[in-house]
Amino acid sequence: MRVPFMDLSKIHKPIRAEITEAINEVVNKGDFILGGKVGEFEKEFSAYCGCKFGIGVSSGTDAIFLAVKALGIGPGDEVLVPANTFIATALGVTFAGAAPILVDADPLNYNINLENIEKKITAKTKAIIPVHLYGQPVAMDRISALATKHGLKVIEDACQAHGAAYKGKKTGSFGDIGCFSFYPAKNLGAFGDGGMVVTNDENLYNKIRILRAYGSEKKYVHDEIGYNMRLDTMHAAVLSVKLKYLDSWNEQRNAAAKKYDELLRGTEFGIFQTVRDAYHVYHLYVIRSRRRDELSKYLGENGIGTTIHYPIPIHKTGAYKYLGHKDGDFPVVDKFSGEIISLPMFPGITDEEIEYVARTLKNFK
Ligand SMILES: *Cc1c(COP(=O)(O)O)cnc(C)c1O
């Protein structure tokens, strides 16, 4: 048996006609840049998240950058970021000229360690970016309480958590700003790069809308330095079709994860706990093994696709070497980055496939 790490054809095949029709409509209209579909999808997606406003942007990275920028954060400011996240969370802060300050992970769920946040707050700290890593919501009431106590802004990195919820409220709707990526492999993915910023703050909405389009509200009137960071109309059309299926795809991911949990509980492999009161949408299903590299090779030889999210933590990348951290500064991330491995996870993965992966894991000698 072969089980790929991911198989997008499983979700695209059944809705191919619908997607083709949506693309054709954009071609027929010819409104490729900020066309009608962008505004429609902004409304649909922000409403889905429980937010008043949405701004379609060019990627998740750009969403984070524009969020930091719109909050007036820049040189001399510090922004708290988890040490285990995709590098883009930190890049968004860096692009704005501010400094990302890393916080170690919680060993139970691998999200940002809530106990370590306060120690990292200084007079320069302006914001915190909780990342709903792997699709698992951060306990946002704790983040909001810390933010209120210290006067910090909250930018949620929900790039892996479309449709996830904490205490019944969707991720992206807790902070001042929520950021999403529509990179093809995400729970809601475009046919290329794309992203969205969501907010309930009309002032931030207007700022980000202007920043994403050359700093202009009215065509050829440029009152500030802006960027070209727009969501393409073609992607908005595809995403609008796919959004209708997101909840059912997330349910399938959630059910697959429950099955993995069941089959792997009590084995030598480390399983992460789910945060209480959270609806986890399992962008990734990650386990731990002390012999990770051997395991990865073994699974590959048995036809099972895996990847690692992420093998090199931010503080050990060449890009962020300048932060001056050393081994042991983030004990949980330093240890776990050598142990984590992401198993096959996608809507449409069958029980037989999950059973094969679990059986193969149990036969690992
Ligand atoms: C994918 C991702 C991003 C960046 O999104 P892009 O659309 O690839 O730029 C940021 N943060 C996290 C946690 C991600 O998984």
Side-chain angles (χ1 to χ4, degrees), residues 141-157:
D141 43 7
R142 297 273 303 276
I143 297 284
S144 302
L146 283 169
T148 305
K149 183 172 165 198
H150 297 278
L152 307 180
K153 298 289 182 191
V154 177
I155 300 168
E156 290 176 76
D157 180 341

Side-chain angles (χ1 to χ4, degrees), residues 58-64 85-89 131-134 157-160 180-183 186 193-195 283 310:
S58 35
S59 70
T61 309
D62 294 338
I64 295 163
T85 177
F86 182 54
I87 193 167
T89 317
V131 178
H132 307 295
L133 193 72
Y134 305 152
D157 180 341
C159 288
Q160 301 188 356
F180 290 88
S181 162
F182 300 126
Y183 176 79
K186 302 290 163 109
D193 279 310
H283 173 59
Y310 297 90

Side-chain angles (χ1 to χ4, degrees), residues 11 128 200 320 353:
I11 62 169
I128 175 162
N200 283 313
Y320 284 103
E353 287 171 323

Side-chain angles (χ1 to χ4, degrees), residues 297-314:
K297 189 164 168 276
Y298 161 81
L299 290 173
E301 284 162 3
N302 284 279
I304 296 167
T306 59
T307 41
I308 298 159
H309 300 87
Y310 297 90
I312 305 168
I314 293 178

Side-chain angles (χ1 to χ4, degrees), residues 128-277:
I128 175 162
I129 309 187
V131 178
H132 307 295
L133 193 72
Y134 305 152
Q136 159 113 291
V138 173
M140 286 307 293
D141 43 7
R142 297 273 303 276
I143 297 284
S144 302
L146 283 169
T148 305
K149 183 172 165 198
H150 297 278
L152 307 180
K153 298 289 182 191
V154 177
I155 300 168
E156 290 176 76
D157 180 341
C159 288
Q160 301 188 356
H162 320 62
Y166 179 69
K167 295 192 170 164
K169 200 166 134 66
K170 291 249 169 69
T171 52
S173 67
F174 289 89
D176 296 277
I177 301 179
C179 299
F180 290 88
S181 162
F182 300 126
Y183 176 79
K186 302 290 163 109
N187 289 34
L188 181 62
F191 288 178
D193 279 310
M196 176 94 60
V197 176
V198 295
T199 183
N200 283 313
D201 183 322
E202 189 162 12
N203 188 33
L204 289 172
Y205 163 67
N206 285 321
K207 270 195 189 161
I208 294 167
R209 216 164 34 85
I210 290 167
L211 283 173
R212 83 160 165 195
Y214 314 110
S216 111
E217 167 90 84
K218 237 172 93 192
K219 204 165 188 181
Y220 304 131
V221 181
H222 305 273
D223 290 325
E224 60 180 304
I225 301 287
Y227 308 88
N228 176 0
M229 294 185 169
R230 303 166 298 203
L231 176 67
D232 289 324
T233 312
M234 201 80 93
H235 293 314
V238 171
L239 288 162
S240 179
V241 171
K242 291 181 72 175
L243 178 60
K244 293 184 284 181
Y245 302 95
L246 177 59
D247 284 342
S248 102
W249 293 335
N250 281 341
E251 280 298 316
Q252 291 174 50
R253 288 175 181 274
N254 196 277
K258 293 237 162 72
K259 182 137 187 103
Y260 271 133
D261 278 350
E262 226 171 80
L263 295 170
L264 296 176
R265 200 164 286 132
T267 65
E268 65 174 286
F269 304 104
I271 300 175
F272 288 116
Q273 287 180 11
T274 41
V275 169
R276 193 199 298 208
D277 298 322

